Amino acid sequence: MPATRPDGRAFPADFLWGSATAAYQIEGAADEGGRGPSIWDTFSRTPGKTLDGDTGDVAADHYHRVPEDVALMQALGLGAYRLSVSWPRVQPTGQGAFNDEGLAFYSDLVDRLIAAGIKPVVTLYHWDLPQALEDAGGWTVRATAEHFGRYARRLAEVLGDRVHLWTTLNEPWCSAYLGYASGVHAPGVTDGAAALAAVHHLNLAHGLAVREIRDVLGADAPVSITLNLHVTRAATDDPADLDAKDRIDTIANEVFLQPILEGRYPERVAADTASVTDWSFVQSGDLEIIRTPLTQLGVNYYSTGRVRAGTPAVGDGGPGPDGHRSSAHSPWVGADRVEWLPQPGPHTAMGWNIEPKGLVDLLLELRDRYPALPLVVTENGAAFEDVPDADGRVHDVERIAYLHDHVDAVGEAIEAGADVRGYFVWSLMDNFEWAYGYSRRFGIVRVDYATGERTPKDSAAWYAELVRTNAVPPVDAVVPALTV
Ligand code: IFM
């Protein structure tokens, strides 16, 4: 375990403590309430695509347990809750008619949160594209971005100013590269050119959505995007290794950061990917739309990576060298000569190394590059092999240590001048971890998938203490188990 500080670093008075989830990972009710099929329904129901063939059909059954789950959040003392809207639940085919029952579900959830004193932070796209749109080309075609703009507009009309912060997309890196290059996520395509077209159309969808939300709710409407920026280190100072790191930074981070915040694509990306695509899908005026100013930038952080110039190893059957499920196809389009090195431990159950300093480095780099843009850590957390005791309680000391050290890292970055406004633990409860199905548990609340029963883990009590005191409790803080 990494060393922990004995003292509790304090946070700014208005700092927002929250937890995060995503629709497909917790809702279940896949065929209820007028919901249409999404790419994750199709993918997870295809044999071999997820561990043990798990699907999100039932998940944590949140759709039927909203009052209980909001009560849980209230018991935690959360200031905010980051949820995502299932596009096919509110617009079954992704274009045309909206589904009133789906819209009412989210409207009711938002009302309940507000009544419980919890600020709703709403993500419009956390990977569950309506299948009908995928059948028409998915993120590889421009029309999907245009449909997304119209969907965002309708949500802004329905949820309006009850939303504390809008987030257009969650981790477009995953949607583009895991969905269309390595194929370990839905829709399971393995085509580098398709992935780069998806990058651009996701960026465009983001920009169109920002404009639509502001058109409905006014110029001050709070809008963000959440990026999973990769913190990658070069193995040595050798120019070839430094170039390998630059190549990864470009394809992983800069193809989102630069268009969204600076209105251009990174200079080297065209040359790096010349054998794959000519980028002719970028049309005149697109970058203007994409760089529409944001209120905050959401940052998801879990671990770091290390690269050198070399030949990548993929297809070994275990977690991929970059921490994602292994595939014969690399997600790193244009980085054929980059080798990922194993990171020293400790590791989480995902095989991801634990390095809180990476979060400090990331937040400080963003502070330096975009000093006027407030940041929010929209996801951070860890999967471990939780073993309930005889009473069904989980004494998850490793998760507490992970959260302690990462929250402390956020405090360190704030003290060094990063304008970080909030932190959302991933996740409120155990859920469907995509290609890993239910085999990986990230929740601070345990879910018994056979009964749906929720049991707060020790980390939930620790997190509630953090929220209550607004300062980092010691890892061994004696706090009463959280009951609801
Ligand atoms: O579960 C995911 C989430 O959906 C997106 N960010 C990373 C989490 C852990 O893998």
Side-chain angles (χ1 to χ4, degrees):
M1 263 315 103
T4 52
R5 289 165 54 103
D7 57 324
R9 202 189 289 272
F11 281 74
D14 55 355
F15 195 79
L16 205 54
W17 296 106
S19 72
T21 63
Y24 189 74
Q25 293 180 273
I26 65 164
E27 281 180 9
D31 299 318
E32 285 178 57
R35 179 183 178 278
S38 80
I39 54 174
W40 269 96
D41 297 301
T42 308
F43 187 78
S44 66
R45 292 171 186 171
T46 304
K49 297 296 186 190
T50 64
L51 273 191
D52 301 325
D54 288 342
T55 72
D57 286 0
V58 178
D61 198 28
H62 169 70
Y63 187 77
H64 299 113
R65 292 170 179 264
V66 166
E68 182 187 350
D69 290 341
V70 173
L72 254 177
M73 297 177 219
Q74 220 173 353
L76 282 159
L78 297 185
Y81 172 55
R82 176 173 178 252
L83 64 113
S84 83
V85 173
S86 159
W87 187 353
R89 190 176 291 293
V90 304
Q91 194 181 27
T93 59
Q95 57 179 308
F98 284 88
N99 171 30
D100 287 341
E101 205 175 334
L103 291 168
F105 171 76
Y106 294 106
S107 186
D108 172 67
L109 173 55
V110 161
D111 279 346
R112 285 176 189 273
L113 290 169
I114 292 170
I118 299 166
K119 295 181 164 61
V121 172
V122 174
T123 300
L124 290 171
Y125 186 73
H126 198 126
W127 309 353
D128 44 356
L129 187 73
Q131 181 62 45
L133 291 187
E134 180 56 36
D135 295 342
W139 288 113
T140 72
V141 300
R142 191 175 180 87
T144 299
E146 290 159 356
H147 293 311
F148 185 74
R150 287 187 279 271
Y151 153 69
R153 182 177 191 90
R154 185 77 189 114
L155 263 295
E157 286 165 356
V158 172
L159 301 183
D161 62 8
R162 290 178 289 162
V163 171
H164 175 72
L165 177 66
W166 295 90
T167 302
T168 54
L169 307 175
N170 178 74
E171 300 180 354
W173 181 89
C174 296
S175 303
Y177 295 114
L178 300 183
Y180 292 92
S182 70
V184 297
H185 277 192
V189 174
T190 53
D191 173 354
L196 294 176
V199 165
H200 180 65
H201 295 133
L202 283 154
N203 283 335
L204 182 63
H206 157 77
L208 290 168
V210 179
R211 291 189 168 198
E212 292 292 349
I213 293 168
R214 296 248 173 86
D215 194 45
V216 174
L217 297 174
D220 293 338
V223 192
S224 64
I225 186 169
T226 280
L227 301 177
N228 56 327
L229 298 168
H230 289 67
V231 178
T232 309
R233 324 246 191 232
T236 72
D237 286 344
D238 185 294
D241 291 347
L242 293 173
D243 182 69
K245 171 192 151 38
D246 261 11
R247 201 173 269 262
I248 294 299
D249 283 349
T250 300
I251 208 71
N253 302 338
E254 301 301 328
V255 290
F256 300 109
L257 282 173
Q258 290 190 29
I260 291 168
L261 299 174
E262 301 170 32
R264 60 191 159 111
Y265 275 103
E267 220 173 284
R268 66 176 288 173
V269 76
D272 284 357
T273 59
S275 64
V276 180
T277 182
D278 60 5
W279 290 76
S280 54
F281 40 75
V282 181
Q283 294 186 11
S284 135
D286 286 0
L287 285 157
E288 191 66 25
I289 294 169
I290 293 168
R291 75 142 172 231
T292 306
L294 293 180
T295 316
Q296 293 187 3
L297 176 66
V299 175
N300 289 357
Y301 176 85
Y302 291 90
S303 66
T304 60
R306 204 154 52 98
V307 293
R308 70 178 175 205
T311 310
V314 288
D316 60 2
D322 58 342
H324 293 280
R325 278 199 81 193
S326 176
S327 161
H329 303 269
S330 169
W332 302 105
V333 183
D336 303 342
R337 308 288 307 154
V338 176
E339 182 184 357
W340 290 85
L341 300 173
Q343 285 284 58
H347 297 99
T348 69
M350 296 297 284
W352 299 347
N353 67 308
I354 301 175
E355 195 187 335
K357 183 169 181 306
L359 181 52
V360 181
D361 294 348
L362 175 59
L363 295 171
L364 294 187
E365 187 186 334
L366 291 168
R367 170 205 63 182
D368 292 345
R369 284 180 64 176
Y370 308 110
L373 183 64
L375 307 171
V376 54
V377 177
T378 37
E379 279 181 33
N380 174 245
F384 288 107
E385 307 286 346
D386 296 335
V387 182
D389 67 12
D391 298 329
R393 306 212 77 91
V394 177
H395 306 295
D396 52 343
V397 289
E398 292 172 297
R399 184 172 292 104
I400 291 174
Y402 181 99
L403 295 178
H404 175 283
D405 293 350
H406 286 78
V407 166
D408 190 62
V410 175
E412 183 181 335
I414 292 173
E415 284 175 18
D419 183 6
V420 187
R421 303 287 175 94
Y423 172 96
F424 290 72
V425 61
W426 184 271
S427 177
L428 173 65
M429 64 181 100
D430 293 337
N431 58 52
F432 176 79
E433 178 52 29
W434 307 110
Y436 291 92
Y438 297 100
S439 67
R440 303 293 194 277
R441 291 177 179 269
F442 275 89
I444 58 173
V445 173
R446 180 174 177 83
V447 174
D448 178 333
Y449 292 115
T451 63
E453 191 187 349
R454 279 94 164 110
T455 308
K457 304 177 191 176
D458 285 0
S459 56
W462 182 89
Y463 196 70
E465 183 70 0
L466 165 71
V467 176
R468 190 183 70 77
T469 59
N470 203 29
V472 190
V475 279
D476 54 357
V478 182
V479 286
L482 195 76
T483 48
V484 185

